[in-house]
Amino acid sequence: MSSENEHTGDTGHGDNHHPAHLAHHFETPEQQFESGKLGMWVFLATEILMFGGLFCAYAIYRGNHQDVFLYGYGALDKMWGATNTVVLLASSLTMAWGVRAAQKGQQKLLLTMLLLTFMGGVGFMCIKGVEYKAKWDHHLFPGTMNAFYYEGGQPKYPEKLEHAIAYIDGRNLGGEAHGGGGHAPAGHEAGDEAAPQEDSHAVEHDGSQVGDEDARHLGSVSPVIIPAVFGAPADVSTIKPPASPADMGVNDAVIDQAGAVSMPSAQHTQVLWNDLSGAEQKKVHLFFGIYFMMTGLHGLHVLIGMVLIAWLFFKARAGAFSKDYFAPVDIGGLYWHLVDLIWIFLFPLLYLIH
Amino acid sequence: MLAILAQAEKTLFLPPARSTVAGAHDGLYNFVLWMSVFWLVLIAGVMIYFVIKYRRKSPQDKPVGPTHSTAIELGWTLPPLILVMIIFVWGFRGFMDMNQVPNGAYQVLVSASKWSWTFTYGGGENDSVLHVPVDTPISLVLNSTDVIHSFYVPDFRVKKDVVPGRYNKTWFQATEVGEYNLFCAEYCGQGHSAMVTKVIVESREDFLAYLVERGKWWEGESPAEVGQTVWVEKGCKQCHSVDGVDGTGPTWKDVFGSERKFADGSPRVADEEYIRESVLNPGKNVVQGFDNVMPTFQGQIKDPEITGVIEYLKSISTHYDGQLLEPFPVSVPAENSGSPGAQE
Amino acid sequence: MSVIQDQVKSGGYGGQHGPGETNYINHSKGVLSWLLTLDHKRIGLMYMVAVITAFLGGGLCAIALRTMLYLRAAPDVAPITAGTQDLYNQLFTLHGAILVFMFIIPAVPAILGNMILPLMLGAKDVAFPRLNLLSWYCYMAGATLFLYVLLSGGLDTGWTFYTPYSTSTTTSVAAATMGAFVLGFSSILTGLNFIATIHMLRPAGMGWFKMPLFLWALYATSIIQVLATPVLAITLLLLCAETVLHIGIFDPALGGDPVLFQHFFWFYSHPAVYIMILPGMGIISELMATFCRRQVFGYSFIAFSSIAIALLGFLVWGHHMFTSGQSAMANAVFSLITFSVAIPSAIKIFNWLATMYKGSISLATPMLYALAFIWLFTIGGLTGVFLGALSLDIMAHDTYFVVAHFHYVMVGSMLTSFIGGMYYWWPKMFGKMYNETVAKIAWGLIFVGFNLTFFIQFIAGSQGMPRRYADYLPEFAFYHKFSTVGSYVLAIGLFVVLFNWIHSLIYGRKAPQNPWGGNTLEWHTSSPPPHENFHEDPLVTEPYEMRAWDYDESIDGYVFDKDKAIELDQQSHH
C-alpha cells in the first residue's frame, strides 16, 4: 500500500554525468519519466482489479438480495454522499491544475494547488467521519457488532435492532434523518399490506414466538419439502419417488432465495423492514459489511493519497520540482485521480441506485 | 476394444464399475489414457532419439538447423486441437448424464456434518449408512449443516459437493448388490479422513425389509443400548470417548450427575436437561478447556434417541446410582415417524 | 546496423577480467550493504537464501506427512487419534501454503528473474530498484507472519482457505491470510518492476522479437502477477474481515455464499499456476537453445504461446468447481477454455523437440533438467486433459489423481526448471563451477524419486483415494507406502543438490565468463558480474546466434569473437 511514493523515489542517487534527479540506471530523463509513469499505470491496474473484486461481491449480493440492499440504502445519506463526490471531484481538478503548474514551473501555484488538493482529502475524510458517526450512533457496525446481527436465528441485540429498524424505516418513509425511539417500532404502519407469511415473520423477529429450528432454517421451503419427502406413503413396496425433482421446491439456488417470499416492492417507493422476508431480515447486516469494506478500503486509499500529496507539498516547497523535473507530481496526480474515479463508482452503487 | 476395456472387472487404474454411468466414464477414461500413452511415448521417444543422434561431438560444434516453419507449426497444432475438442464433447455428454437426475428417481436426503453422514428416506427413517435398492435410480439431495463436504462413491463414479446453505443434487443407479465405500472428498477438518461410510446396495425386497426395520429400529432395545448405538452411528464417538480420556470433546464417562464448569467459570450439574441442551445447542454449554466446535444435532436426532443418549450416559456414570429406564414401548406413535424437519 | 558499428568503435570488448577485479559480491562489505542494497543481483541472492529456507521448511512438512501416511499402514505402530489427525492437517496445510506462496511463486521470478533479467537486457538495474528491495522486505514480512502462524496454533485450513471451514476453525487464519496478502504484494511489486523494465530498459537494437525467450516468459508471468494478485488480495482481506468481524460475505450461516469464495480464490489461484510454470518454461527455452547450441525453433510461437497461456489462464478458474454445483453451462464453458490452454503448452513442447533436431546436444546438468522437464511436464499436461474432461473430473476431483497432476506440473516441472536454471546461471551468479558428477547423481535421484513418489498417486486417485486424508482404508496402503519411499529418494536427491551448491561455493573452481557458449547478454559480462553489471555496453545481436563464441580449452569456456558476431549479424539481415 505504501508503495506509491516509491515509484517516484528513484531520484537523487544519480552520479556525476547525469542530471541530479536521474537515477544511474536510466539513460535519459525521458526514459526515467516514462518508466515511472508506466509503473504507476500498471499499479493503477492492480488497484482497479482489487476494487473489481469488491464490486463483483457487491453485484452478486445485490443481485441475490435485492430488497436487503434496497432496505440498507435507507441508512445512507445521499446529501453527504453527493457533497463528498463534489469535494473529491474538486480536489481532482486542483490536482490536475497542480500538475500543469508543475509542468510550467509555477512554484507558487503548484504549492497552492497541492494544499487545496490536500484540503479536499481532509474534507472528504471529515464528511466520511460524520457519516460513520451516524452509523455508529445507530449500532450499524460491520460484523457481529451490527444491530441487525442474528445469532442462531435470533437477533443478537433485540433492543438495538428495534432502534435500528425504527431509524431506517423512518428514513425510508422520508422521515427525519435521526429517527429515534419515537417512531413506531417494526414498521407496523406497513403491516396491513403484508401477506400472512410476513406477519409470522414479524412476530418471529419480535422474539415473542420461537419457531421451531427447522422451519426457521428452511424458510418457506419447509412446507413444500416436508410433505414431499417425509410424507411418502408408508407402503413403499413400489419405491416410487415422492415427487419429481422439479416439484421438490429445492434447486441449486441458495436456499434462502427459494425461501424468500419477496413482497413486490413497487408497493412502496422504499423498502421497509416488514417488506423483507424472515430470511432477508437476517441478512441486512451483510449490506453493512459490504458498505464498510468498500468505503473503508477507499478511505484508506484517500489517506494514502493524502500522505503522498503532503510529501509532494514539502518536496515542492523545498524546490525539488522544476520545468525539467515534475515526474513525482504527475505520477502522484495519477494516483489521486484513481482514488477519485473509484469513488465515482462507489457513490452511485451505494447511495443512488434503486 | 474400448467397450471391452470399459467392462473389465477392474483395470489397473479404475475401481470396478458399479453404476449405470460408470461404463461411459470408463470408456472416455481409457480413451484419454491410451491417447496419453501414445503422446508420452512419442515425445519421450523423439527426445531420446534426438539426444542420441545429435549428441555433441565436440564443444566446437556450430550446428545450423531449421528455425521456423509455419506449416510444421500448424501441422502439430491441429491434431491435439481436434483431439481435445473430441474429448471435450465426450466429457460434456458424460457429465450431463451424470448430472441430470432422471425422472422417477427415488429420493434420499443426505445431510453431512462434521464428521458423519445422515441419510433420510421418505418415511423419515434415517441412518448413517446409505442403503439403496439395486437397479433403481436414486436421487440425492445434499445439504451440509456446517462446512463444505463432498459426497463421493468411487465405484459409482459419483461426486458432488455438500454445501451449507444450498441443496445440491446428484444421482446414481447401482448395478450390483454389494457394499461400497462412501467418502467425504472435501477437506472438512479434524475428522475428515474418518468421514467414511458405506453404501449398501441390496435387492428391492431386502431394501424394503431394511426400511421397515429401520422405521422401528429401537424396538426391543433398552434405551441405554439405543444411546450406545447413537454414540456410534451419529459420530459422537469421534470426539467423545467413554473410557475417561478426553478427546476433542470431554469424555462421556462419569459425566452424568457430575458438576461441570463452563468456559465462563459458572458451574452446573449435568442432568437430563443439560444433556438435551448439549445435543441440540452445544454452543451454550462449552465446558472449560474445550473449544466450541460441536455442531448442533437439532433435526438430525429424534427424541427417543436423545433419551437413549441420556440413559447411556447414566449407565456409564459413577455419579448416578438410580434406575435406568426400561425398554421403549413397542410401537412408536405413527406421527413420530413422519416427524417434520428431520433435515436442515 | 549503425548501433553495432557505434559499439565497435567504443573500444575493446569482453575478455577475462583479473582476479583482483571487484564484483557485485565483494563490491562493498557489511550486513547493511546487503540489507539496504538496491542492486538487483544482491536482492536476487537475498531472495535465494530466503526462498530456499522456505523450501526446506515446506519440504520437511512434506516428508513428515508422507512418513505419517507410511506409518498409518501399521495401525498398531501409529494409532490414529484426534491429535495425529490435527498434526496431519496442519502439516499438509503448511506444506501447501509455504511452498505455494513462499517457494513456487517467487522462486524463478524473484531469484533468477531478479538476477538475470537486467543482465539479459544489458541494463544496469531494474526500473525501480527501491521497489525491488521493498518487495524483498514484503516477502520477509509475509514469511514472519507465517512464522507467527506456526508458533500461534498453526493452520489447518488447507492452503486454499475454503470457507466456511476457514472462518470456523480456531487456528491462526487471520495471521495466515495477512501473510499471504503481504507476500502477494511482494509478488505484485516484482511483476510491476519487470513489466516496466522490459518496456523501458531494452537496449537499442533489442526489439521485442530479439528478446531472449526467458524474458518473454517473465513478461507473461508479470502480467498475471499484476492482474491476478490484487484479486487474491481483496479476497484475503474479505476473508480476514470474515474471520475477525464475521461480516458474513462467505458464511452461509450469516447469509453469505461459500462458493463465492472459491470463485474469488481461484480467479487468482488458477492464473497463479501459470505464474509458477511460465518462468520455468522460459528457462527451458534458454537451456534448449544453449545446450543444443543452435537457434530455437519457432521463436515467435514459443513467445506468443507464453502470452496466450497467460491470457487464457484468466478464463479457466471455474474448472476447480466442477463438483460444487455450479451450472452445467458454466461447467461446459470452463471445460472448453481449459482444453484450449492445452494447445499453447503442446506447441512449446513440440518446438523444444524441434530445437533438438540437428542440434549439438550436450548432456550437461542443466540440460538433463530440461529433458526431465519435458518428461514431467508432458505427464502433467496429459493428465490435465483427464481433469479438463467434465465427466472424468467428477470422478477425479479432490482425489490423489489431482494431487499427482498438480505435483507433476507445479513441482516436477517447476522444480526441475528452477534447479536447471540455477545450475545454468550458477557460474554467472557466483563465479564458481560445481562438481558435475555429483550434480548428475543428484539429478538421477530427483528424477527417479519424483516419479516414484507421484506416478503411483495417479493410480491411487483413480482407485478413489481422496486427498487430505490423515487415514485411509487398507486397500490403499500399498500406494501410500510406495509413494513415501519415493519421497525419501526425492528428498535425498534435493539434499545432494544443496550439498553440491554449498560445496561449489567453497571449493568450486573459478568459472569462465561463458562456460556454456550461450549468447544472451548475461554471458557478455564477467562471472560474477561487476556492481554495474557490464564493463562496457554489450553487443546486441540475435539472442541465440552462438556461432561467434569459440571454445577455449584452457579456460573450459567460450570466448567471444566480436568481428564474427558482427559479420553473422549482418548476414542475418541480408
Side-chain angles (χ1 to χ4, degrees):
Chain A
M1 288 289 164
S2 61
S3 59
E4 292 74 41
N5 42 13
E6 294 293 328
H7 289 290
T8 58
D10 302 319
T11 57
H13 61 104
D15 52 42
N16 297 336
H17 354 283
H18 285 315
H21 47 75
L22 182 62
H24 75 104
H25 57 289
F26 288 113
E27 303 277 330
T28 61
E30 290 73 38
Q31 190 189 29
Q32 172 168 317
F33 177 59
E34 290 300 322
S35 298
K37 228 168 161 170
L38 176 69
M40 186 43 115
W41 276 109
V42 173
F43 181 76
L44 297 188
T46 71
E47 290 280 25
I48 285 171
L49 274 148
M50 181 153 128
F51 276 96
L54 269 181
F55 284 126
C56 253
Y58 168 89
I60 288 163
Y61 282 96
R62 198 193 141 84
N64 284 351
H65 312 298
Q66 190 92 357
D67 281 357
V68 169
F69 274 64
L70 287 175
Y71 182 72
Y73 288 132
L76 307 186
D77 195 315
K78 259 178 261 177
M79 271 320 292
W80 280 130
T83 314
N84 247 349
T85 309
V86 172
V87 168
L88 218 48
L89 276 176
S91 76
S92 231
L93 175 72
T94 55
M95 188 71 225
W97 204 337
V99 171
R100 199 177 119 91
Q103 287 169 345
K104 297 185 134 192
Q106 295 159 324
Q107 172 79 355
K108 252 195 165 157
L109 187 61
L110 169 62
L111 284 174
T112 316
M113 285 304 150
L114 285 176
L115 193 65
L116 282 176
T117 311
F118 185 82
M119 291 317 293
V122 172
F124 180 89
M125 291 312 289
C126 287
I127 293 175
K128 203 80 240 164
V130 171
E131 285 196 72
Y132 275 15
K133 173 80 168 43
K135 311 284 174 299
W136 185 278
D137 288 345
H138 299 282
H139 311 287
L140 301 174
F141 309 107
T144 43
M145 304 278 284
N146 193 286
F148 290 98
Y149 194 80
Y150 278 70
E151 206 168 53
Q154 294 300 314
K156 197 172 178 196
Y157 317 98
E159 283 168 30
K160 291 176 184 170
L161 175 66
E162 203 139 301
H163 172 85
I165 293 168
Y167 170 64
I168 296 181
D169 274 359
R171 291 181 56 93
N172 278 342
L173 285 169
E176 291 295 300
H178 7 252
H183 279 263
H188 283 310
E189 56 269 55
D192 47 3
E193 287 169 349
Q197 287 104 316
E198 304 305 302
D199 274 336
S200 70
H201 286 302
V203 174
E204 197 179 302
H205 82 74
D206 281 339
S208 54
Q209 177 200 325
V210 182
D212 93 75
E213 186 77 25
D214 311 300
R216 259 185 283 125
H217 273 264
L218 280 169
S220 48
V221 174
S222 45
V224 187
I225 277 191
I226 290 160
V229 178
F230 297 95
D235 173 17
V236 282
S237 57
T238 52
I239 313 183
K240 271 277 157 57
S244 79
D247 298 330
M248 290 299 300
V250 288
N251 53 34
D252 292 342
V254 177
I255 309 169
D256 303 289
Q257 272 175 272
V261 184
S262 60
M263 285 291 294
S265 44
Q267 285 183 12
H268 303 290
T269 49
Q270 302 286 358
V271 177
L272 298 181
W273 178 251
N274 277 1
D275 298 334
L276 301 174
S277 71
E280 283 175 331
Q281 289 176 343
K282 286 170 197 143
K283 287 179 181 163
V284 170
H285 74 98
L286 269 178
F287 172 83
F288 294 98
I290 289 176
Y291 167 81
F292 278 107
M293 283 303 287
M294 291 178 97
T295 54
L297 195 62
H298 177 261
L300 186 66
H301 279 74
V302 173
L303 283 177
I304 292 168
M306 286 164 63
V307 171
L308 191 61
I309 288 165
W311 176 77
L312 288 173
F313 178 81
F314 287 112
K315 278 210 86 158
R317 211 175 54 171
F321 306 124
S322 66
K323 239 188 267 195
D324 301 324
Y325 179 62
F326 52 84
V329 185
D330 205 339
I331 290 165
L334 280 179
Y335 178 79
W336 190 254
H337 293 318
L338 175 91
V339 171
D340 190 22
L341 183 77
I342 289 171
W343 179 256
I344 297 294
F345 282 94
L346 281 180
F347 172 59
L349 286 181
L350 289 173
Y351 292 79
L352 293 184
I353 298 180
H354 278 258
Chain B
M1 190 190 89
L2 293 178
I4 298 168
L5 279 170
Q7 278 160 16
E9 183 62 11
K10 178 175 171 176
T11 68
L12 171 61
F13 288 95
L14 290 168
R18 292 290 183 262
S19 78
T20 48
V21 297
H25 168 279
D26 295 4
L28 176 57
Y29 183 97
N30 286 310
F31 175 76
V32 180
L33 178 63
W34 290 111
M35 181 210 76
S36 300
V37 169
F38 167 79
W39 284 106
L40 183 64
V41 168
L42 182 73
I43 289 168
V46 168
M47 182 171 86
I48 291 167
Y49 174 74
F50 282 173
V51 165
I52 294 166
K53 174 130 205 258
Y54 301 111
R55 67 187 177 280
R56 184 168 295 182
K57 311 285 190 313
S58 145
Q60 291 293 4
D61 283 352
K62 289 180 180 174
V64 179
T67 57
H68 54 83
S69 159
T70 309
I72 289 178
E73 298 282 354
L74 283 180
W76 64 39
T77 303
L78 281 179
L81 187 64
I82 294 166
L83 269 176
V84 294
M85 285 307 121
I86 293 172
I87 295 167
F88 162 69
V89 173
W90 195 340
F92 179 63
R93 292 178 55 168
F95 169 75
M96 291 310 281
D97 290 341
M98 293 162 117
N99 201 42
Q100 217 128 48
V101 185
N103 282 335
Y106 176 73
Q107 190 159 41
V108 179
L109 289 189
V110 180
S111 173
S113 56
K114 288 191 274 188
W115 293 279
S116 63
W117 298 94
T118 306
F119 304 97
T120 307
Y121 304 89
E125 309 87 350
N126 68 44
D127 197 348
S128 60
V129 172
L130 176 59
H131 283 253
V132 293
V134 71
D135 291 329
T136 311
I138 307 295
S139 141
L140 302 167
V141 177
L142 310 140
N143 185 236
S144 165
T145 60
D146 39 47
V147 301
I148 301 178
H149 304 274
S150 190
F151 176 94
Y152 179 36
V153 184
D155 291 344
F156 299 161
R157 316 288 188 259
V158 60
K159 184 183 289 126
K160 195 77 166 189
D161 289 359
V162 186
V163 183
R166 43 168 100 184
Y167 286 110
N168 274 343
K169 285 185 295 181
T170 190
W171 78 284
F172 64 85
Q173 178 173 341
T175 54
E176 263 177 70
V177 171
E179 284 191 13
Y180 306 100
N181 293 322
L182 192 169
F183 299 98
C184 172
E186 181 65 64
Y187 173 68
C188 57
Q190 190 187 67
H192 174 50
S193 56
M195 203 168 152
V196 181
T197 184
K198 293 273 181 200
V199 184
I200 294 171
V201 178
E202 50 204 0
S203 69
R204 289 171 161 241
E205 293 72 32
D206 287 351
F207 178 66
L208 263 183
Y210 160 77
L211 279 187
V212 171
E213 172 70 18
R214 197 70 197 170
K216 301 177 277 182
W217 62 280
W218 44 81
E219 255 184 322
E221 282 183 310
S222 77
E225 286 168 330
V226 170
Q228 188 168 19
T229 314
V230 169
W231 176 67
V232 174
E233 296 198 347
K234 294 288 177 191
C236 312
K237 71 168 191 168
Q238 311 275 8
C239 304
H240 300 286
S241 76
V242 290
D243 59 4
V245 181
D246 287 338
T248 307
T251 180
W252 279 7
K253 187 158 174 51
D254 296 339
V255 163
F256 195 87
S258 69
E259 193 181 80
R260 313 294 287 165
K261 260 221 156 74
F262 298 141
D264 59 359
S266 59
R268 178 171 171 188
V269 173
D271 56 11
E272 284 89 346
E273 191 48 36
Y274 168 83
I275 304 294
R276 171 176 295 274
E277 270 183 22
S278 301
V279 173
L280 298 178
N281 188 5
K284 199 175 162 195
N285 303 318
V286 179
V287 173
Q288 224 167 37
F290 294 91
D291 293 327
N292 180 13
V293 293
M294 177 170 158
T296 174
F297 281 78
Q298 180 91 44
Q300 297 169 47
I301 190 164
K302 295 176 189 171
D303 271 1
E305 292 176 327
I306 298 181
T307 311
V309 168
I310 292 169
E311 293 306 301
Y312 180 51
L313 280 163
K314 285 179 182 171
S315 74
I316 55 171
S317 174
T318 50
H319 302 291
Y320 181 77
D321 51 7
Q323 288 263 299
L324 291 176
L325 280 180
E326 286 307 301
F328 278 110
V330 170
S331 73
V332 179
E335 57 270 24
N336 239 11
S337 66
S339 133
Q343 287 302 306
E344 298 196 302
Chain C
M1 284 322 93
S2 65
V3 175
I4 290 169
Q5 299 301 345
D6 290 349
Q7 282 167 342
V8 173
K9 277 179 216 142
S10 70
Y13 185 79
Q16 295 298 304
H17 294 272
E21 196 93 18
T22 65
N23 57 49
Y24 78 98
I25 297 173
N26 62 18
H27 156 266
S28 54
K29 294 211 185 324
V31 176
L32 278 186
S33 80
W34 285 84
L35 290 181
L36 298 178
T37 183
L38 297 179
D39 182 352
H40 67 98
K41 302 180 289 302
R42 285 190 165 198
I43 293 171
L45 283 196
M46 296 201 303
Y47 257 122
M48 185 186 81
V49 174
V51 169
I52 289 181
T53 309
F55 178 69
L56 285 176
L60 285 178
C61 290
I63 292 299
L65 72 88
R66 284 262 35 119
T67 304
M68 284 184 80
L69 287 170
Y70 187 96
L71 294 176
R72 259 321 284 150
D76 304 340
V77 183
I80 196 96
T81 63
T84 54
Q85 284 172 332
D86 282 341
L87 178 62
Y88 179 85
N89 292 342
Q90 299 230 352
L91 281 174
F92 85 70
T93 300
L94 289 168
H95 164 69
I98 291 176
L99 288 182
V100 166
F101 294 117
M102 292 169 63
F103 175 71
I104 307 182
I105 289 175
V108 177
I111 300 174
L112 294 171
N114 255 327
M115 181 67 74
I116 300 301
L117 177 136
L119 290 172
M120 276 188 160
L121 290 171
K124 292 197 185 82
D125 208 324
V126 290
F128 312 116
R130 289 185 194 184
L131 275 191
N132 205 13
L133 184 64
L134 180 66
S135 134
W136 185 79
Y137 278 104
C138 281
Y139 180 89
M140 295 310 285
T144 311
L145 277 165
F146 267 96
L147 213 58
Y148 170 78
V149 168
L150 268 180
L151 301 175
S152 67
L155 183 68
D156 72 341
T157 60
W159 78 277
T160 47
F161 298 115
Y162 270 20
T163 53
Y165 184 74
S166 58
T167 53
S168 61
T169 174
T170 51
T171 52
S172 304
V173 177
T177 49
M178 286 325 289
F181 180 85
V182 177
L183 289 171
F185 252 92
S186 150
S187 179
I188 289 177
L189 294 178
T190 303
L192 188 153
N193 224 330
F194 285 0
I195 289 179
T197 308
I198 291 175
H199 269 276
M200 304 307 300
L201 293 182
R202 267 177 298 121
M206 189 188 283
W208 282 92
F209 291 93
K210 273 196 177 183
M211 281 198 322
L213 287 164
F214 183 49
L215 296 188
W216 272 101
L218 282 177
Y219 187 76
T221 308
S222 303
I223 290 177
I224 309 175
Q225 285 178 309
V226 161
L227 296 185
T229 318
V231 179
L232 177 72
I234 192 67
T235 310
L236 293 177
L237 272 186
L238 286 170
L239 181 61
C240 204
E242 181 77 63
T243 317
V244 178
L245 300 170
H246 299 285
I247 57 169
I249 287 186
F250 300 130
D251 187 349
L254 300 177
D257 184 356
V259 179
L260 179 68
F261 175 82
Q262 298 180 19
H263 280 283
F264 273 15
F265 182 81
W266 288 112
F267 183 85
Y268 163 76
S269 293
H270 195 80
V273 171
Y274 300 107
I275 298 179
M276 304 168 194
I277 193 68
L278 274 173
M281 290 171 155
I283 293 175
I284 299 305
S285 300
E286 300 298 323
L287 298 182
M288 278 293 165
T290 302
F291 293 97
C292 297
R293 223 170 143 59
R294 58 161 288 197
Q295 297 266 7
V296 290
F297 186 89
Y299 173 97
S300 51
F301 282 86
I302 296 181
F304 279 127
S305 63
S306 289
I307 304 293
I309 289 173
L311 297 181
L312 287 172
F314 276 98
L315 306 174
V316 300
W317 78 89
H319 70 210
H320 296 269
M321 280 161 278
F322 284 161
T323 64
S324 72
Q326 73 184 355
S327 75
M329 186 63 197
N331 277 356
V333 171
F334 282 124
S335 168
L336 184 64
I337 306 174
T338 300
F339 278 120
S340 70
V341 187
I343 302 306
S345 309
I347 288 175
K348 278 184 191 278
I349 295 264
F350 295 144
N351 279 296
W352 290 326
L353 285 181
T355 302
M356 295 170 74
Y357 174 69
K358 289 198 169 173
S360 161
I361 300 172
S362 150
L363 289 183
T365 305
M367 184 62 174
L368 288 179
Y369 280 100
L371 298 178
F373 176 95
I374 291 188
W375 169 264
L376 298 173
F377 184 71
T378 303
I379 293 178
L382 286 168
T383 49
V385 172
F386 284 83
L387 296 171
L390 277 169
S391 62
L392 302 187
D393 185 73
I394 299 300
M395 171 72 180
H397 182 76
D398 272 337
T399 66
Y400 266 69
F401 192 95
V402 174
V403 175
H405 161 72
F406 70 70
H407 277 87
Y408 261 86
V409 180
M410 285 160 58
V411 185
S413 310
M414 183 274 155
L415 189 63
T416 49
S417 62
F418 171 66
I419 298 177
M422 285 293 285
Y423 272 116
Y424 179 57
W425 283 301
W426 188 267
K428 183 57 61 189
M429 290 160 73
F430 297 104
K432 301 274 182 121
M433 296 305 288
Y434 49 82
N435 183 316
E436 185 75 22
T437 314
V438 175
K440 281 182 172 152
I441 290 170
W443 172 82
L445 287 171
I446 290 173
F447 184 71
V448 171
F450 184 87
N451 284 294
L452 285 180
T453 310
F454 292 105
F455 194 84
I456 196 149
Q457 293 185 2
F458 285 121
I459 302 175
S462 294
Q463 292 285 350
M465 176 71 217
R467 68 191 282 203
R468 296 176 168 179
Y469 264 35
D471 193 10
Y472 46 82
L473 300 178
E475 57 256 45
F476 295 108
F478 171 73
Y479 305 115
H480 281 289
K481 283 176 135 176
F482 193 95
S483 181
T484 301
V485 172
S487 73
Y488 293 158
V489 178
L490 176 59
I492 292 168
L494 289 168
F495 273 110
V496 177
V497 169
L498 189 63
F499 163 79
N500 190 216
W501 288 349
I502 293 170
H503 181 271
S504 151
L505 287 181
I506 303 167
Y507 303 107
R509 97 183 138 79
K510 186 177 169 359
Q513 173 176 335
N514 187 355
W516 319 118
N519 185 44
T520 42
L521 296 184
E522 75 273 24
W523 304 113
H524 291 243
T525 185
S526 54
S527 303
H531 175 64
E532 63 279 14
N533 286 354
F534 293 92
H535 303 278
E536 56 188 283
D537 287 344
L539 176 67
V540 179
T541 59
E542 290 285 336
Y544 303 115
E545 176 53 84
M546 283 164 266
R547 283 175 293 171
W549 290 89
D550 291 308
Y551 183 69
D552 180 345
E553 210 166 340
S554 65
I555 55 166
D556 193 15
Y558 288 79
V559 179
F560 193 48
D561 181 344
K562 194 166 185 176
D563 297 332
K564 181 129 183 238
I566 293 166
E567 188 191 317
L568 286 166
D569 197 61
Q570 280 167 344
Q571 273 173 20
S572 74
H573 286 80
H574 285 310

